[in-house]
């Protein structure tokens, strides 16, 4: 673990969201209700004997009617099966998480009967959302959309949107007045001619500005005759290995609103494969952000930051590139988190049916431990085709659980293999301790008993009650917005970091909280899940901590500075600002 640099400084609990009067009032109400709930015993049991479902599907009540369009056609273009980005972010800075939903697009013989649009759902703060994409200037579908990476790339205090897709990407700059401007061409982020999938903002050179890595999937075109494949004498989608992979793209932030393609200089252009998912996090503990990238039928990558603008792949040494038999899995979604509470970031990766979703435990050195079987992920995901995945402490007991969304790509799979399903159920996996998971989907609510062609999954506390909520997208259908009903049964604390020397989003920060005899470690990561962007606030579940408890949180900032926020009140959110000068 890297030595902490700089003098330890305190950031007091009084430095909360007081600068935003609307937020303070609303957050105070949320704090009061969540503290009251924490004082009442909640009878939830993993055996299904709960008094309330863990999650509620509130999509209709929230006012969400938007549907994703994938251009489904008789030509069976592979891109029709892959899209569906979702993002939680507070675009209007009112203290409530809003939701951006990126549409797919049309194909040559898959046309929409109505004009296509993206959706930007503004959170009204009362459980309702209203679509304001057109007014905000982000409604138009300009490319075949895939995924989202949302962050404040120019450090002006407002969250911007990067949308991946084919044949170009789009960068929307947040003007701070409820509108966005397409600045893609000026910024140099078109990524022209490539099928871009996952993307992550991260400050790889620690200059205080966010850079961008883009996962390019395969060589693709709508021109010419599409490849033809059949399954059981029915036209279906060709497998990914029939498509040639692409190199990664890395863009350096020039700190003036423009970016430079440094793929060659960084060495990322040499990694050719079918890349889909990416998470940026400091794997080695040296304070510099690294990349874990899941690839579809190509070996996964663990790109270690060499602190000089270049990266080297350590996936083979870490034993995360292949499965135990030496096969490259169909990696789609990815996330990083401390699944076994040892202070090191572990990885989860979703894969195709019969490959099992993977769990790699980081013991602080190489190789990682392949815990796919010991964690029970192998048994629980054997028949699933996984996409979005995210660690979250849904019950606020201090252990990171897993939410995974699934869905097949072959519409005739049930005929050929009756044990398989085309539309698959989501999985909610409870961490029983030491990264061993129990399937509690039967207690998670009706949404977990239905099948979906789910793809993107985003996590965020959209009602500000301290419990992690979620949204996931579905091919050709409405998204599913989930409200967490049980997180309030335990205590919690939420942290929003604001960088000054570091990038403003504090992407790459490490937070450590000690309570009793437990130490909880969390990170502010870039990317993660599948094609989606998440709440930047960090939630710590504190179990049965008393409502009047206070805690200290140690922060290692991306700049290398270290501070400790002391005596923070629990059951509320706090904003902690990095001190701009070293004393």
């Amino acid at each position: 673990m890297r030595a902490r640099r700089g003098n330890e400084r305190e950031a007091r609990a009084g430095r909360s969201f007081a600068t935003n009067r609307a937020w303070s009032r609303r957050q105070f109400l949320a704090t009061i209700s969540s503290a009251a709930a924490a004082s009442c015993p909640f009878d939830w049991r993993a055996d299904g004997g709960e008094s309330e479902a863990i999650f509620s599907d509130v999509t209709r009540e929230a006012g969400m009617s938007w549907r994703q369009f994938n251009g489904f056609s008789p030509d069976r273009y592979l891109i029709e099966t892959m899209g569906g980005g979702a993002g939680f972010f507070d675009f209007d800075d009112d203290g409530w998480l809003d939701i951006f939903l990126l549409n797919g697009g049309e194909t040559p013989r898959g046309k929409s009967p109505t004009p296509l649009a993206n959706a930007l759902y503004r959170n009204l703060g009362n459980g309702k959302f209203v679509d304001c994409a057109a007014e905000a200037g982000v409604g138009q579908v300009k490319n075949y959309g895939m995924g989202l990476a949302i962050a404040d790339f120019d450090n002006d205090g407002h969250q911007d949107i990067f949308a991946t897709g084919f044949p170009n990407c789009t960068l929307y700059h947040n003007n701070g007045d409820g509108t966005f401007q397409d600045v893609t061409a000026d910024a140099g982020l078109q990524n022209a001619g490539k099928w871009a999938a996952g993307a992550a903002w991260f400050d790889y050179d620690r200059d205080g500005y966010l850079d961008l890595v883009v996962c390019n999937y395969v060589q693709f075109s709508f021109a010419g005759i599409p490849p033809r494949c059949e399954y059981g004498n029915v036209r279906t989608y060709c497998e990914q290995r029939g498509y040639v992979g692409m190199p990664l793209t890395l863009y350096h932030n020039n700190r003036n609103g423009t970016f430079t393609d440094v793929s060659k200089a960084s060495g990322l252009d040499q990694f050719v494969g079918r890349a889909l998912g990416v998470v940026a996090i400091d794997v080695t503990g040296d304070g510099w952000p690294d990349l874990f990238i899941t690839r579809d039928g190509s070996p996964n990558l663990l790109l270690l930051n060499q602190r000089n603008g270049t990266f080297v792949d350590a996936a083979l040494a870490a034993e995360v590139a292949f499965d135990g038999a030496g096969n490259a899995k169909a990696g789609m979604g990815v996330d990083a988190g401390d699944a076994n509470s040892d202070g090191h970031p572990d990885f989860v990766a979703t894969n195709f049916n019969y490959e099992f979703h993977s769990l790699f435990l980081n013991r602080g050195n190489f190789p990682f431990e392949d815990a796919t079987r010991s964690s029970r992920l192998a048994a629980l995901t054997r028949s699933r085709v996984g996409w979005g995945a995210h660690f979250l402490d849904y019950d606020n007991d201090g252990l990171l659980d897993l939410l995974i969304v699934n869905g097949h790509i072959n519409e005739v799979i049930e005929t050929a293999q009756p044990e398989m399903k085309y539309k698959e159920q989501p999985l909610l996996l409870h961490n029983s301790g030491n990264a061993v998971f129990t399937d509690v989907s039967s207690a998670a609510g009706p949404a977990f008993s239905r099948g979906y062609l789910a793809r993107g999954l985003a996590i965020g506390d959209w009602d500000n009650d301290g419990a992690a909520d979620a949204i996931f997208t579905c091919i050709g259908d409405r998204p599913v917005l989930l409200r967490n009903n049980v997180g309030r049964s335990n205590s919690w604390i939420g942290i929003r970091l604001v960088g000054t020397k570091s990038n403003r989003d504090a992407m790459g920060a490490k937070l450590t909280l000690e309570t009793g005899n437990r130490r909880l470690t969390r990170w502010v990561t870039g990317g993660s899940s599948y094609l989606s962007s998440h709440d930047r606030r960090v939630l710590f579940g504190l179990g049965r901590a008393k409502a009047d408890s206070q805690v200290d949180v140690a922060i290692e900032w991306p700049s290398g500075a270290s501070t400790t926020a002391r005596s923070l009140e629990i059951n509320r959110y706090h904003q902690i600002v990095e001190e701009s000068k070293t004393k």
Side-chain angles (χ1 to χ4, degrees):
M1 184 60 64
R2 147 180 93 90
R4 293 172 58 175
R5 289 181 283 176
N7 298 324
E8 184 178 82
R9 289 175 282 281
E10 298 179 355
R12 291 287 179 182
R15 188 179 282 175
S16 63
F17 286 104
T19 55
N20 186 327
R21 191 168 296 174
W23 172 273
S24 288
R25 182 178 67 253
R26 292 166 178 162
Q27 187 54 52
F28 174 76
L29 294 175
T31 299
I32 293 299
S33 74
S34 105
S39 67
C40 301
F42 186 82
D43 183 22
W44 176 84
R45 296 189 296 276
D47 62 4
E50 76 286 350
S51 58
E52 185 175 11
I54 299 172
F55 286 98
S56 294
D57 178 352
V58 295
T59 314
R60 292 187 183 276
E61 296 90 324
M64 292 188 177
S65 57
W66 177 91
R67 288 176 177 266
Q68 194 262 5
F69 184 81
N70 69 325
F72 181 78
S73 74
D75 299 312
R76 298 299 192 269
Y77 289 102
L78 186 60
I79 200 169
E80 300 167 11
T81 72
M82 305 288 286
F88 279 117
F89 73 129
D90 183 7
F91 87 90
D92 53 1
D93 303 311
D94 67 350
W96 296 90
L97 288 179
D98 311 299
I99 299 171
F100 189 72
L101 298 165
L102 184 66
N103 217 326
E106 295 181 324
T107 59
R109 292 200 290 169
K111 303 300 183 182
S112 174
T114 58
L116 296 183
N118 304 315
L120 176 60
Y121 279 106
R122 183 165 62 88
N123 191 337
L124 301 180
N126 59 358
K128 304 291 185 181
F129 291 77
V130 60
D131 187 359
C132 60
E135 298 88 335
V138 294
Q140 183 181 356
V141 174
K142 301 185 177 184
N143 302 287
Y144 194 106
M146 289 292 293
L148 298 172
I150 299 175
D152 181 3
F153 78 85
D154 56 355
N155 291 337
D156 67 353
H158 309 298
Q159 296 290 295
D160 310 299
I161 303 171
F162 180 74
T164 65
F166 173 82
N168 295 288
C169 296
T170 308
L171 177 65
Y172 293 104
H173 177 260
N174 189 332
N175 298 320
D177 60 0
T179 67
F180 292 80
Q181 180 181 357
D182 183 346
V183 296
T184 314
D186 291 340
L189 290 182
Q190 297 97 326
N191 205 48
K194 300 172 183 177
W195 176 355
W201 294 102
F202 74 130
D203 185 6
Y204 77 86
D205 57 354
R206 301 203 326 183
D207 66 351
Y209 281 77
L210 290 172
D211 311 299
L212 181 68
V213 62
V214 179
C215 294
N216 299 306
Y217 186 49
V218 299
Q219 295 181 19
F220 181 78
S221 174
F222 285 126
I225 301 174
R228 183 180 182 91
C229 296
E230 293 184 348
Y231 192 97
N233 297 320
V234 177
R235 179 76 180 268
T236 188
Y237 298 98
C238 295
E239 70 168 12
Q240 82 282 44
R241 288 180 174 84
Y243 294 81
V244 178
M246 294 285 289
L248 304 169
T249 310
L250 180 63
Y251 293 100
H252 178 260
N253 191 329
N254 298 325
R255 300 188 286 182
N256 60 1
T258 69
F259 292 78
T260 298
D261 185 342
V262 294
S263 307
K264 184 176 180 60
S266 66
L268 262 65
D269 68 337
Q270 66 183 293
F271 301 114
V272 177
R274 293 169 286 267
L276 285 176
V278 56
V279 61
I281 193 169
D282 178 9
V283 175
T284 61
D286 65 356
W288 292 75
D290 309 300
L291 298 170
F292 182 57
I293 295 173
T294 49
R295 301 199 296 179
D296 189 7
S298 304
N300 297 328
L301 301 173
L302 181 59
L303 302 180
L304 300 185
N305 192 329
Q306 300 301 288
R307 313 185 209 178
N308 60 3
T310 67
F311 294 79
V312 296
D313 182 21
L316 286 176
E319 297 186 2
V320 298
F322 302 98
D323 66 10
N327 300 311
K329 293 185 178 182
M332 272 88 82
V334 63
D335 195 22
D338 188 6
N340 57 352
S341 302
D342 66 354
H344 302 296
D346 310 305
F347 295 118
V348 63
T350 56
N351 302 296
F352 213 72
N353 58 267
Y354 300 134
E355 292 182 340
F356 318 133
H357 301 350
S358 303
L359 180 66
F360 300 110
L361 295 181
N362 178 359
R363 300 296 189 181
N365 51 42
F366 292 164
F368 285 14
E369 176 187 342
D370 187 344
T372 302
R373 295 185 184 276
S374 63
S375 67
R376 301 194 68 243
L377 270 188
L380 295 170
T381 66
R382 179 176 181 271
S383 62
R384 312 288 178 128
V385 176
W387 301 87
H390 209 282
F391 289 111
L392 75 166
D393 184 3
Y394 73 83
D395 54 355
N396 280 333
D397 67 352
L399 297 172
L400 289 180
D401 312 301
L402 264 174
L403 178 55
I404 302 173
V405 297
N406 308 282
H408 217 282
I409 65 170
N410 188 342
E411 64 266 40
V412 297
I413 190 65
E414 296 176 32
T415 301
Q417 301 182 49
E419 72 277 14
M420 301 294 300
K421 298 295 182 184
Y422 179 47
K423 294 185 176 182
E424 299 180 340
Q425 298 170 345
L427 282 172
L428 182 63
L429 306 181
H430 181 259
N431 191 337
S432 303
N434 201 28
V436 177
F437 294 93
T438 301
D439 186 358
V440 296
S441 304
S442 61
F448 288 76
S449 64
R450 294 192 289 265
Y452 309 89
L453 301 180
R455 295 297 185 262
L457 167 69
I459 303 297
D461 181 12
W462 58 263
D463 54 0
N464 286 334
D465 67 350
D469 308 301
I471 189 170
F472 62 87
T473 61
C474 303
I475 292 290
D477 208 342
R478 293 189 309 161
V480 178
L481 179 66
L482 298 174
R483 184 185 63 223
N484 186 331
N485 299 316
V486 306
R488 64 180 184 270
S489 66
N490 278 324
S491 293
W492 57 278
I493 190 169
I495 306 294
R496 176 187 173 188
L497 298 180
V498 178
T500 53
K501 294 169 60 180
S502 304
N503 64 86
R504 187 175 177 87
D505 286 340
M507 205 88 74
K510 177 182 178 181
L511 299 87
T512 304
L513 180 150
E514 294 193 28
T515 173
N517 61 351
R518 300 177 67 186
R519 173 178 290 189
L520 305 178
T521 306
R522 304 288 185 262
W523 292 263
V524 182
T525 61
S528 83
S529 189
Y530 179 74
L531 306 180
S532 299
S533 195
H534 316 277
D535 192 347
R536 292 281 172 242
R537 299 173 297 180
V538 175
L539 273 173
F540 289 93
L542 302 176
R544 293 298 181 180
K546 295 181 180 179
D548 59 355
S549 300
Q550 295 182 339
V551 298
D552 299 343
V553 178
I555 304 157
E556 297 180 27
W557 295 89
S559 66
S562 298
T563 60
T564 297
R566 298 195 180 277
S567 303
L568 300 178
E569 298 176 13
I570 70 171
N571 296 322
R572 62 167 297 181
Y573 283 101
H574 300 268
Q575 175 170 290
I576 300 172
V577 179
E578 181 184 21
E579 294 191 11
S580 58
K581 294 182 180 180
T582 302
K583 296 181 181 179

